[in-house]
Amino acid sequence: MKDFIYKVYKNKKWITLGLSILYLLLFCFPIQTVTKVIDKENLEFASYKLPFILQIASYWRNVPNVISTLSSISDKESYAYNEIACAFGTIVTSSILVFMCFLLAIIYLVRLFKDKKFQFVWSLVIAFLAMLINGISTSDELGVYEIHLYPTTYIFLALLVLDIVYLILERFYLHGGHEKLVQRQAERQAQKEAEYKQSPEYRIEQLEKQVQELQSQVKSDEERQ
């Protein structure tokens, strides 16, 4: 295991570069349906599919209309208001998180090739949260929320778990974790021995040994006589 972790650590720069490209490409998925109003008077809509990242960009073009629509709805407890507000909130939040992912990717890649310390795990945490939050929607008129988990949500979660496991193993095998564990075990063992030597049981055991030694010495003296 230590050899495997060392090989991964040795090639960490290129592995991280590949992971950065992969997790940025994953933001193209899922392919989502976007509805656009083409005729407001006759309420004609056109639907088309866009990659996730482009769907977010397309939504931002309609933010002023969404805000005006929310303002025009008098019943703030209605299903229509909750549905639009939920969609608006999830899109805005996930957009901010995706932007943070792209920003962190640039920062990490710069630090990567300058051989500076970085933790890629935070990018995966934010990416997972972005996909998780984007899957929140209202399911009925009672305002019950549900979370739809996309395939990319599971992929980001799997990458996050693997990265956390790797960091734990790296700390244990390559950054003194194993040596510290052995040292702590040795210290605990020495402390137990010291405590045992001060216990009545240890003293009784030593007295019994002394008695046995004296008895054996007396027997040997008697045999000589």
Side-chain angles (χ1 to χ4, degrees):
M1 178 61 75
K2 184 176 181 179
D3 294 337
F4 173 74
I5 298 299
Y6 177 75
K7 289 179 182 179
V8 174
Y9 181 79
K10 189 176 180 181
N11 298 285
K12 189 176 181 179
K13 179 183 292 185
W14 304 111
I15 293 173
T16 305
L17 177 61
L19 280 175
S20 300
I21 296 172
L22 173 63
Y23 106 112
L24 291 176
L25 287 176
L26 284 173
F27 283 121
C28 293
F29 302 94
I31 306 297
Q32 294 189 327
T33 302
V34 178
T35 302
K36 182 178 180 181
V37 179
I38 58 176
D39 189 347
K40 292 183 179 180
E41 294 182 357
N42 299 318
L43 294 178
E44 293 183 4
F45 301 89
S47 297
Y48 49 94
K49 294 184 178 296
L50 285 177
F52 173 70
I53 190 67
L54 296 180
Q55 179 256 348
I56 288 179
S58 175
Y59 186 88
W60 276 94
R61 296 175 57 187
N62 297 323
V63 166
N65 294 331
V66 173
I67 294 175
S68 63
T69 301
L70 288 173
S71 301
S72 64
I73 299 176
S74 58
D75 185 5
K76 305 301 182 183
E77 302 296 329
S78 65
Y79 174 68
Y81 182 87
N82 290 332
E83 185 179 26
I84 297 173
C86 178
F88 179 73
T90 55
I91 288 292
V92 170
T93 306
S94 57
S95 298
I96 294 171
L97 293 176
V98 169
F99 174 77
M100 290 175 62
C101 286
F102 277 86
L103 185 62
L104 283 176
I106 295 172
I107 294 172
Y108 286 157
L109 290 176
V110 171
R111 294 181 67 85
L112 178 66
F113 287 97
K114 286 187 176 181
D115 294 324
K116 293 184 177 181
K117 188 177 180 180
F118 63 94
Q119 294 291 350
F120 187 71
V121 65
W122 298 114
S123 293
L124 295 173
V125 170
I126 296 173
F128 170 69
L129 290 176
M131 299 306 303
L132 186 67
I133 291 173
N134 191 71
I136 298 176
S137 62
T138 53
S139 60
D140 55 32
E141 295 183 1
L142 297 176
V144 177
Y145 295 95
E146 63 179 7
I147 299 178
H148 177 73
L149 298 177
Y150 302 108
T152 43
T153 309
Y154 291 107
I155 295 174
F156 280 129
L157 179 60
L159 291 175
L160 175 61
V161 172
L162 288 174
D163 197 17
I164 292 174
V165 170
Y166 166 75
L167 289 175
I168 294 172
L169 294 176
E170 180 187 289
R171 183 180 181 85
F172 183 75
Y173 286 109
L174 301 182
H175 299 306
H178 182 66
E179 289 77 8
K180 290 179 181 178
L181 178 62
V182 173
Q183 183 180 356
R184 286 197 298 268
Q185 290 176 344
E187 290 174 354
R188 284 197 295 267
Q189 183 64 28
Q191 184 178 0
K192 288 181 180 179
E193 291 178 357
E195 291 175 354
Y196 178 69
K197 287 181 180 179
Q198 294 178 359
S199 65
E201 291 82 2
Y202 178 78
R203 294 175 184 176
I204 293 172
E205 183 180 343
Q206 294 300 312
L207 289 173
E208 290 177 349
K209 287 183 179 180
Q210 291 177 4
V211 170
Q212 290 176 357
E213 290 176 357
L214 288 173
Q215 288 177 348
S216 62
Q217 185 175 358
V218 169
K219 287 182 180 180
S220 61
D221 291 340
E222 290 177 352
E223 289 176 355
R224 288 176 183 176
Q225 292 176 359

Coordinates of all heavy atoms in Angstrom, one line a residue, residues 84-160:
I84 N -41.1 28.9 -8.9 CA -40.2 29.9 -9.5 C -39.1 30.3 -8.5 O -37.9 30.4 -8.9 CB -41.0 31.1 -10.0 CG1 -42.0 30.7 -11.1 CG2 -40.0 32.2 -10.6 CD1 -42.9 31.8 -11.5
A85 N -39.5 30.6 -7.3 CA -38.5 31.0 -6.3 C -37.5 29.9 -6.0 O -36.3 30.2 -5.9 CB -39.2 31.4 -5.0
C86 N -37.9 28.6 -6.0 CA -37.0 27.5 -5.8 C -36.0 27.4 -6.9 O -34.8 27.2 -6.7 CB -37.8 26.2 -5.6 SG -36.8 24.8 -5.4
A87 N -36.6 27.5 -8.2 CA -35.7 27.4 -9.3 C -34.7 28.5 -9.4 O -33.5 28.3 -9.7 CB -36.6 27.4 -10.6
F88 N -35.2 29.7 -9.0 CA -34.3 30.9 -9.0 C -33.2 30.7 -8.0 O -32.0 30.9 -8.2 CB -35.1 32.1 -8.7 CG -34.2 33.4 -8.7 CD1 -33.7 33.9 -9.8 CD2 -34.0 34.0 -7.4 CE1 -33.0 35.1 -9.8 CE2 -33.2 35.2 -7.4 CZ -32.7 35.7 -8.5
G89 N -33.5 30.3 -6.8 CA -32.6 30.1 -5.7 C -31.5 29.0 -6.0 O -30.3 29.2 -5.8
T90 N -32.0 27.9 -6.5 CA -31.1 26.8 -6.9 C -30.1 27.2 -8.0 O -28.9 26.9 -7.9 CB -31.8 25.5 -7.2 OG1 -32.7 25.8 -8.3 CG2 -32.6 25.0 -6.1
I91 N -30.6 27.9 -9.0 CA -29.8 28.3 -10.1 C -28.7 29.3 -9.7 O -27.5 29.2 -10.0 CB -30.6 28.9 -11.3 CG1 -31.4 27.8 -12.0 CG2 -29.7 29.6 -12.3 CD1 -30.5 26.8 -12.8
V92 N -29.1 30.3 -8.9 CA -28.2 31.3 -8.4 C -27.1 30.7 -7.5 O -25.9 30.9 -7.7 CB -29.0 32.4 -7.6 CG1 -28.0 33.4 -6.9 CG2 -29.8 33.2 -8.6
T93 N -27.6 29.8 -6.6 CA -26.6 29.2 -5.7 C -25.6 28.3 -6.4 O -24.4 28.4 -6.2 CB -27.3 28.4 -4.6 OG1 -28.3 29.2 -3.9 CG2 -26.3 27.9 -3.6
S94 N -26.2 27.4 -7.3 CA -25.3 26.5 -8.0 C -24.4 27.3 -9.0 O -23.2 26.9 -9.2 CB -26.1 25.5 -8.8 OG -27.0 26.1 -9.7
S95 N -24.9 28.4 -9.5 CA -24.0 29.2 -10.4 C -22.8 29.8 -9.7 O -21.7 29.8 -10.2 CB -24.8 30.4 -11.0 OG -25.9 29.9 -11.8
I96 N -23.1 30.3 -8.4 CA -22.0 30.8 -7.6 C -21.0 29.7 -7.3 O -19.7 29.9 -7.4 CB -22.5 31.4 -6.3 CG1 -23.4 32.7 -6.6 CG2 -21.4 31.8 -5.4 CD1 -24.1 33.2 -5.5
L97 N -21.5 28.5 -7.0 CA -20.6 27.4 -6.6 C -19.8 26.9 -7.9 O -18.6 26.6 -7.7 CB -21.4 26.2 -6.1 CG -22.0 26.5 -4.7 CD1 -22.9 25.3 -4.3 CD2 -21.0 26.8 -3.6
V98 N -20.4 26.9 -9.0 CA -19.7 26.5 -10.3 C -18.6 27.5 -10.6 O -17.5 27.2 -11.0 CB -20.7 26.4 -11.4 CG1 -19.9 26.2 -12.7 CG2 -21.6 25.2 -11.2
F99 N -18.9 28.8 -10.4 CA -17.9 29.9 -10.6 C -16.8 29.7 -9.7 O -15.6 29.8 -10.1 CB -18.6 31.2 -10.4 CG -17.6 32.4 -10.5 CD1 -17.1 32.8 -11.7 CD2 -17.1 33.0 -9.3 CE1 -16.2 33.8 -11.8 CE2 -16.2 34.0 -9.4 CZ -15.7 34.5 -10.6
M100 N -17.0 29.3 -8.4 CA -16.0 29.1 -7.5 C -15.1 27.9 -7.9 O -13.9 27.9 -7.7 CB -16.6 28.8 -6.1 CG -17.2 30.1 -5.4 SD -18.0 29.7 -3.9 CE -16.6 29.1 -2.9
C101 N -15.8 26.9 -8.5 CA -15.0 25.7 -9.0 C -14.0 26.1 -10.1 O -12.9 25.7 -10.0 CB -16.0 24.6 -9.5 SG -16.9 23.7 -8.2
F102 N -14.5 26.9 -11.0 CA -13.6 27.3 -12.1 C -12.5 28.2 -11.5 O -11.3 28.1 -12.0 CB -14.4 28.1 -13.1 CG -15.1 27.2 -14.1 CD1 -16.4 26.7 -13.9 CD2 -14.5 26.9 -15.3 CE1 -17.0 25.9 -14.8 CE2 -15.1 26.0 -16.2 CZ -16.4 25.5 -16.0
L103 N -12.8 29.1 -10.6 CA -11.8 29.9 -10.0 C -10.8 29.1 -9.2 O -9.5 29.3 -9.4 CB -12.5 30.9 -9.0 CG -11.5 32.0 -8.4 CD1 -10.9 32.9 -9.5 CD2 -12.3 32.8 -7.4
L104 N -11.2 28.1 -8.4 CA -10.3 27.3 -7.7 C -9.5 26.4 -8.6 O -8.3 26.2 -8.4 CB -11.1 26.3 -6.8 CG -11.6 27.0 -5.5 CD1 -12.5 26.0 -4.7 CD2 -10.5 27.5 -4.6
A105 N -10.0 26.0 -9.7 CA -9.3 25.2 -10.7 C -8.1 26.0 -11.3 O -7.0 25.4 -11.4 CB -10.2 24.7 -11.9
I106 N -8.3 27.2 -11.6 CA -7.2 28.1 -12.1 C -6.2 28.3 -11.0 O -5.0 28.2 -11.3 CB -7.8 29.5 -12.5 CG1 -8.8 29.3 -13.7 CG2 -6.7 30.4 -12.9 CD1 -9.5 30.5 -14.1
I107 N -6.6 28.6 -9.8 CA -5.7 28.8 -8.7 C -4.9 27.5 -8.4 O -3.6 27.6 -8.2 CB -6.4 29.2 -7.4 CG1 -7.1 30.6 -7.6 CG2 -5.5 29.2 -6.2 CD1 -8.0 31.0 -6.4
Y108 N -5.5 26.4 -8.4 CA -4.8 25.1 -8.1 C -3.8 24.8 -9.2 O -2.7 24.3 -8.9 CB -5.8 24.0 -7.9 CG -6.6 24.0 -6.6 CD1 -7.8 23.4 -6.5 CD2 -6.1 24.7 -5.5 CE1 -8.5 23.4 -5.3 CE2 -6.8 24.7 -4.3 CZ -8.0 24.1 -4.2 OH -8.7 24.1 -3.1
L109 N -4.2 25.0 -10.5 CA -3.3 24.7 -11.5 C -2.1 25.6 -11.5 O -0.9 25.2 -11.8 CB -4.0 24.8 -12.9 CG -5.1 23.8 -13.2 CD1 -5.8 24.0 -14.5 CD2 -4.4 22.4 -13.2
V110 N -2.3 26.9 -11.2 CA -1.1 27.8 -11.0 C -0.2 27.3 -9.9 O 1.0 27.2 -10.1 CB -1.6 29.2 -10.8 CG1 -0.4 30.1 -10.4 CG2 -2.3 29.8 -12.0
R111 N -0.8 27.0 -8.7 CA 0.0 26.5 -7.6 C 0.6 25.2 -7.9 O 1.7 24.9 -7.4 CB -0.9 26.5 -6.4 CG -1.4 27.8 -5.9 CD -2.2 27.7 -4.6 NE -1.4 27.2 -3.5 CZ -0.7 28.0 -2.7 NH1 -0.7 29.3 -2.9 NH2 0.0 27.5 -1.7
L112 N -0.1 24.4 -8.7 CA 0.4 23.0 -9.0 C 1.8 23.1 -9.8 O 2.7 22.4 -9.4 CB -0.6 22.3 -9.9 CG -0.2 20.9 -10.4 CD1 -0.1 20.0 -9.2 CD2 -1.3 20.4 -11.4
F113 N 1.8 24.0 -10.8 CA 3.0 24.1 -11.6 C 4.1 25.0 -11.0 O 5.2 25.1 -11.5 CB 2.7 24.5 -13.0 CG 2.0 23.4 -13.8 CD1 0.6 23.4 -13.9 CD2 2.7 22.4 -14.4 CE1 0.0 22.3 -14.6 CE2 2.1 21.4 -15.1 CZ 0.7 21.4 -15.2
K114 N 3.8 25.6 -9.8 CA 4.8 26.3 -9.1 C 5.2 25.5 -7.9 O 6.0 26.0 -7.0 CB 4.2 27.7 -8.6 CG 4.0 28.7 -9.7 CD 3.6 30.1 -9.1 CE 3.5 31.1 -10.2 NZ 3.2 32.4 -9.6
D115 N 4.8 24.3 -7.9 CA 5.2 23.3 -6.8 C 4.8 23.9 -5.4 O 5.6 23.7 -4.4 CB 6.7 23.0 -6.9 CG 7.0 22.2 -8.1 OD1 6.2 21.4 -8.6 OD2 8.1 22.4 -8.7
K116 N 3.6 24.5 -5.3 CA 3.2 25.0 -4.0 C 2.1 24.0 -3.5 O 1.4 23.3 -4.3 CB 2.7 26.4 -4.1 CG 3.7 27.4 -4.4 CD 3.2 28.8 -4.5 CE 4.3 29.9 -4.7 NZ 3.7 31.2 -4.7
K117 N 1.9 24.1 -2.2 CA 0.9 23.2 -1.6 C -0.5 23.6 -1.9 O -0.8 24.8 -2.0 CB 1.1 23.3 0.0 CG 0.3 22.2 0.7 CD 0.5 22.3 2.2 CE -0.3 21.2 2.9 NZ 0.0 21.3 4.4
F118 N -1.3 22.6 -2.1 CA -2.8 22.8 -2.4 C -3.6 21.6 -2.1 O -3.0 20.5 -1.9 CB -3.0 23.1 -3.9 CG -2.6 22.0 -4.8 CD1 -3.5 21.1 -5.2 CD2 -1.3 21.8 -5.2 CE1 -3.2 20.0 -6.0 CE2 -0.9 20.7 -6.0 CZ -1.9 19.8 -6.4
Q119 N -4.9 21.8 -1.9 CA -5.8 20.7 -1.6 C -6.9 20.7 -2.6 O -7.8 21.6 -2.6 CB -6.3 20.8 -0.2 CG -5.3 20.7 0.9 CD -4.8 19.2 1.0 OE1 -5.3 18.3 0.4 NE2 -3.7 19.1 1.8
F120 N -6.9 19.7 -3.5 CA -7.9 19.6 -4.6 C -9.3 19.2 -4.0 O -10.3 19.4 -4.7 CB -7.4 18.6 -5.6 CG -8.3 18.6 -6.8 CD1 -8.3 19.7 -7.7 CD2 -9.1 17.5 -7.1 CE1 -9.1 19.6 -8.9 CE2 -9.9 17.5 -8.2 CZ -9.9 18.5 -9.1
V121 N -9.3 18.7 -2.8 CA -10.5 18.2 -2.2 C -11.6 19.2 -2.1 O -12.8 18.9 -2.3 CB -10.2 17.5 -0.9 CG1 -9.8 18.6 0.2 CG2 -11.4 16.8 -0.4
W122 N -11.2 20.5 -1.9 CA -12.2 21.6 -1.7 C -12.9 21.8 -3.0 O -14.1 22.2 -3.0 CB -11.5 22.8 -1.2 CG -10.9 22.6 0.2 CD1 -9.6 22.7 0.5 CD2 -11.6 22.3 1.4 NE1 -9.4 22.4 1.8 CE2 -10.6 22.2 2.4 CE3 -13.0 22.1 1.7 CZ2 -11.0 21.9 3.7 CZ3 -13.3 21.8 3.0 CH2 -12.3 21.7 4.0
S123 N -12.3 21.7 -4.1 CA -13.0 21.8 -5.4 C -14.0 20.8 -5.6 O -15.1 21.0 -6.1 CB -11.9 21.7 -6.6 OG -11.1 22.8 -6.6
L124 N -13.7 19.5 -5.2 CA -14.7 18.5 -5.3 C -15.9 18.6 -4.4 O -17.0 18.3 -4.7 CB -14.0 17.1 -5.0 CG -12.9 16.7 -6.1 CD1 -12.2 15.5 -5.6 CD2 -13.5 16.5 -7.4
V125 N -15.6 19.2 -3.2 CA -16.7 19.5 -2.2 C -17.6 20.5 -2.8 O -18.9 20.3 -2.8 CB -16.1 20.0 -0.9 CG1 -17.2 20.5 0.0 CG2 -15.3 18.9 -0.2
I126 N -17.1 21.6 -3.4 CA -18.0 22.6 -4.0 C -18.7 22.1 -5.2 O -19.9 22.4 -5.4 CB -17.1 23.8 -4.3 CG1 -16.5 24.4 -3.0 CG2 -17.9 24.9 -5.0 CD1 -15.6 25.6 -3.2
A127 N -18.0 21.3 -6.0 CA -18.6 20.8 -7.2 C -19.8 19.8 -6.9 O -20.9 19.9 -7.5 CB -17.6 20.0 -8.1
F128 N -19.6 19.0 -5.8 CA -20.7 18.1 -5.4 C -21.8 18.9 -4.9 O -23.0 18.6 -5.2 CB -20.1 17.2 -4.3 CG -21.2 16.4 -3.6 CD1 -21.9 15.4 -4.2 CD2 -21.5 16.7 -2.3 CE1 -22.9 14.6 -3.6 CE2 -22.5 16.0 -1.6 CZ -23.2 14.9 -2.3
L129 N -21.6 20.0 -4.1 CA -22.7 20.8 -3.5 C -23.4 21.5 -4.7 O -24.6 21.7 -4.6 CB -22.1 21.8 -2.6 CG -21.6 21.3 -1.2 CD1 -21.0 22.4 -0.4 CD2 -22.7 20.6 -0.5
A130 N -22.7 21.9 -5.7 CA -23.3 22.6 -6.8 C -24.3 21.7 -7.5 O -25.4 22.2 -7.8 CB -22.2 23.1 -7.8
M131 N -23.9 20.5 -7.8 CA -24.8 19.5 -8.4 C -26.0 19.1 -7.5 O -27.1 19.0 -7.9 CB -24.1 18.3 -8.9 CG -23.0 18.6 -9.9 SD -23.5 19.5 -11.4 CE -24.8 18.5 -12.0
L132 N -25.7 19.0 -6.2 CA -26.7 18.6 -5.2 C -27.8 19.7 -5.1 O -29.0 19.4 -5.2 CB -26.1 18.3 -3.9 CG -27.0 17.8 -2.8 CD1 -27.4 16.3 -3.2 CD2 -26.3 17.8 -1.4
I133 N -27.3 20.9 -5.0 CA -28.3 22.0 -4.8 C -29.1 22.3 -6.1 O -30.3 22.6 -6.1 CB -27.5 23.3 -4.4 CG1 -27.0 23.2 -3.0 CG2 -28.4 24.6 -4.5 CD1 -26.1 24.3 -2.6
N134 N -28.5 22.1 -7.3 CA -29.2 22.3 -8.5 C -30.3 21.2 -8.7 O -31.2 21.5 -9.5 CB -28.2 22.2 -9.7 CG -28.8 22.6 -11.0 OD1 -29.0 23.8 -11.2 ND2 -29.1 21.7 -11.9
G135 N -30.2 20.1 -8.0 CA -31.2 19.1 -8.1 C -32.4 19.3 -7.2 O -33.4 18.5 -7.2
I136 N -32.4 20.4 -6.4 CA -33.5 20.7 -5.5 C -34.7 21.3 -6.3 O -34.5 22.2 -7.1 CB -33.1 21.6 -4.4 CG1 -32.0 21.0 -3.5 CG2 -34.3 22.0 -3.5 CD1 -31.5 21.9 -2.5
S137 N -35.9 20.8 -6.1 CA -37.1 21.3 -6.7 C -38.3 21.1 -5.8 O -38.3 20.3 -4.9 CB -37.3 20.7 -8.1 OG -37.5 19.3 -7.9
T138 N -39.4 21.8 -6.1 CA -40.7 21.6 -5.4 C -41.4 20.5 -6.1 O -41.5 20.5 -7.4 CB -41.5 22.9 -5.4 OG1 -41.6 23.4 -6.7 CG2 -40.8 24.0 -4.6
S139 N -42.0 19.6 -5.4 CA -42.7 18.5 -5.9 C -44.2 18.6 -6.0 O -44.8 17.9 -6.8 CB -42.3 17.2 -5.2 OG -42.7 17.3 -3.8
D140 N -44.8 19.4 -5.2 CA -46.3 19.6 -5.2 C -46.7 20.9 -4.6 O -45.8 21.7 -4.3 CB -46.9 18.4 -4.4 CG -46.4 18.4 -3.0 OD1 -46.0 19.4 -2.4 OD2 -46.3 17.2 -2.4
E141 N -47.9 21.1 -4.6 CA -48.5 22.4 -4.1 C -48.3 22.7 -2.6 O -48.5 23.8 -2.2 CB -50.0 22.5 -4.5 CG -50.2 22.5 -6.0 CD -51.7 22.7 -6.3 OE1 -52.5 22.9 -5.4 OE2 -52.0 22.7 -7.5
L142 N -48.0 21.7 -1.9 CA -47.7 21.8 -0.5 C -46.4 22.4 -0.2 O -46.0 22.7 1.0 CB -47.9 20.5 0.2 CG -49.3 19.8 0.2 CD1 -49.3 18.5 0.8 CD2 -50.3 20.7 0.8
G143 N -45.6 22.6 -1.2 CA -44.3 23.2 -1.0 C -43.2 22.2 -0.5 O -42.2 22.6 0.0
V144 N -43.4 20.9 -0.7 CA -42.5 19.9 -0.4 C -41.3 19.9 -1.4 O -41.5 19.9 -2.6 CB -43.2 18.5 -0.3 CG1 -42.1 17.4 0.0 CG2 -44.3 18.5 0.7
Y145 N -40.1 19.9 -0.8 CA -39.0 19.9 -1.7 C -38.4 18.5 -1.9 O -38.5 17.6 -1.0 CB -37.9 20.8 -1.1 CG -38.3 22.2 -1.1 CD1 -38.8 22.8 0.1 CD2 -38.1 23.1 -2.2 CE1 -39.2 24.1 0.1 CE2 -38.4 24.4 -2.1 CZ -39.0 24.9 -1.0 OH -39.4 26.2 -1.0
E146 N -37.9 18.2 -3.0 CA -37.2 16.9 -3.3 C -35.9 17.2 -4.0 O -35.7 18.3 -4.6 CB -38.1 16.0 -4.2 CG -38.4 16.6 -5.6 CD -39.2 15.7 -6.4 OE1 -39.7 14.7 -5.9 OE2 -39.4 16.0 -7.6
I147 N -35.0 16.2 -3.9 CA -33.7 16.4 -4.5 C -33.5 15.3 -5.5 O -33.6 14.1 -5.3 CB -32.6 16.2 -3.4 CG1 -32.7 17.3 -2.4 CG2 -31.2 16.3 -4.1 CD1 -31.7 17.3 -1.2
H148 N -33.2 15.7 -6.7 CA -32.9 14.8 -7.8 C -31.4 14.7 -8.0 O -30.7 15.7 -8.2 CB -33.5 15.3 -9.1 CG -33.2 14.5 -10.3 ND1 -33.8 13.2 -10.5 CD2 -32.3 14.7 -11.4 CE1 -33.3 12.7 -11.6 NE2 -32.4 13.5 -12.2
L149 N -30.9 13.5 -7.8 CA -29.5 13.2 -7.9 C -29.1 12.9 -9.4 O -29.5 11.8 -9.9 CB -29.1 12.1 -7.0 CG -29.3 12.4 -5.5 CD1 -28.9 11.2 -4.6 CD2 -28.5 13.7 -5.0
Y150 N -28.3 13.7 -10.0 CA -27.9 13.5 -11.4 C -26.7 12.5 -11.3 O -26.1 12.3 -10.3 CB -27.4 14.8 -12.0 CG -28.4 15.9 -12.1 CD1 -28.3 17.0 -11.3 CD2 -29.5 15.8 -13.0 CE1 -29.3 18.0 -11.3 CE2 -30.4 16.8 -13.0 CZ -30.3 17.9 -12.2 OH -31.2 18.9 -12.3
P151 N -26.4 11.8 -12.5 CA -25.3 10.9 -12.5 C -24.0 11.6 -12.1 O -23.1 11.1 -11.5 CB -25.2 10.4 -14.0 CG -26.7 10.5 -14.4 CD -27.2 11.7 -13.7
T152 N -23.8 12.9 -12.6 CA -22.6 13.7 -12.2 C -22.5 13.9 -10.7 O -21.4 14.1 -10.2 CB -22.6 15.0 -13.0 OG1 -23.9 15.6 -12.9 CG2 -22.2 14.8 -14.4
T153 N -23.7 14.0 -10.0 CA -23.7 14.2 -8.6 C -23.0 13.0 -7.9 O -22.1 13.1 -7.0 CB -25.1 14.3 -8.0 OG1 -25.8 15.3 -8.8 CG2 -25.0 14.7 -6.6
Y154 N -23.3 11.8 -8.4 CA -22.7 10.6 -7.9 C -21.2 10.5 -8.2 O -20.4 10.1 -7.4 CB -23.4 9.3 -8.4 CG -24.8 9.1 -7.9 CD1 -25.9 9.3 -8.7 CD2 -25.0 8.7 -6.6 CE1 -27.2 9.1 -8.2 CE2 -26.3 8.5 -6.1 CZ -27.4 8.7 -6.9 OH -28.6 8.5 -6.5
I155 N -20.8 11.0 -9.4 CA -19.4 10.9 -9.9 C -18.6 11.9 -9.0 O -17.5 11.5 -8.5 CB -19.3 11.3 -11.3 CG1 -20.0 10.3 -12.2 CG2 -17.8 11.5 -11.7 CD1 -20.1 10.6 -13.7
F156 N -19.1 13.1 -8.8 CA -18.4 14.0 -7.9 C -18.3 13.5 -6.5 O -17.2 13.7 -5.8 CB -19.1 15.4 -7.9 CG -18.8 16.2 -9.1 CD1 -19.9 16.8 -9.8 CD2 -17.5 16.5 -9.5 CE1 -19.6 17.6 -10.9 CE2 -17.3 17.3 -10.6 CZ -18.3 17.8 -11.3
L157 N -19.3 12.8 -6.0 CA -19.3 12.2 -4.6 C -18.2 11.1 -4.6 O -17.5 11.0 -3.6 CB -20.7 11.7 -4.3 CG -20.8 11.0 -2.9 CD1 -20.4 12.0 -1.8 CD2 -22.2 10.4 -2.7
A158 N -18.2 10.3 -5.6 CA -17.2 9.2 -5.7 C -15.8 9.8 -5.7 O -14.9 9.3 -5.0 CB -17.4 8.3 -6.9
L159 N -15.5 10.8 -6.5 CA -14.2 11.4 -6.6 C -13.8 12.1 -5.2 O -12.7 12.0 -4.8 CB -14.2 12.5 -7.7 CG -14.3 12.0 -9.1 CD1 -14.4 13.1 -10.1 CD2 -13.1 11.1 -9.5
L160 N -14.8 12.7 -4.6 CA -14.6 13.3 -3.3 C -14.2 12.3 -2.2 O -13.2 12.4 -1.5 CB -15.8 14.0 -2.8 CG -15.8 14.7 -1.4 CD1 -14.7 15.7 -1.3 CD2 -17.2 15.3 -1.1

